[in-house]
Amino acid sequence: MYVLGGRLRLLLGDRRLTLAPGEVAEFDTHVPHWLGPADDQPVELLVLFGRQGERAHLRARTRHSGE
């Protein structure tokens, strides 16, 4: 997934991430996950599903849950 605009909150297993525009995350969708806006503003995403999602490849800064 690629963040086009806004800030995305991604809960991936026991990891909590916040992604900004231009950041990406690639992960196996079998891993429990949730995603939504990181704040009260909309977030716009480009999401592609493919067979390559067997491993997680994250390119985002990890944020602490108490931010």
Side-chain angles (χ1 to χ4, degrees), residues 1 4 7 13 16-17 19 23 27 32 35 39-40 42 49 54 63 66:
M1 93 181 48
L4 296 169
R7 291 169 22 100
R16 295 172 181 250
L17 303 153
L19 285 76
E23 293 186 306
F27 58 93
L35 54 101
D39 49 33
D40 62 349
F49 295 94
E54 297 171 358
R63 311 270 190 196

Side-chain angles (χ1 to χ4, degrees), residues 1 3 5-11 16-21 23 34-45 60-67:
M1 93 181 48
V3 180
R7 291 169 22 100
L8 173 72
R9 169 71 62 184
L10 173 61
L11 307 181
R16 295 172 181 250
L17 303 153
T18 300
L19 285 76
E23 293 186 306
W34 176 90
L35 54 101
D39 49 33
D40 62 349
Q41 298 298 309
V43 62
E44 185 176 10
L45 306 173
R61 296 177 301 265
T62 301
R63 311 270 190 196
H64 298 287
S65 59
E67 52 179 310

Side-chain angles (χ1 to χ4, degrees), residues 22-63:
E23 293 186 306
V24 301
E26 179 181 340
F27 58 93
D28 182 347
T29 56
H30 291 102
V31 174
H33 60 281
W34 176 90
L35 54 101
D39 49 33
D40 62 349
Q41 298 298 309
V43 62
E44 185 176 10
L45 306 173
L46 174 64
V47 180
L48 302 174
F49 295 94
R51 297 163 76 184
Q52 300 82 6
E54 297 171 358
R55 296 186 310 250
H57 304 284
L58 301 173
R59 295 177 186 91
R61 296 177 301 265
T62 301
R63 311 270 190 196

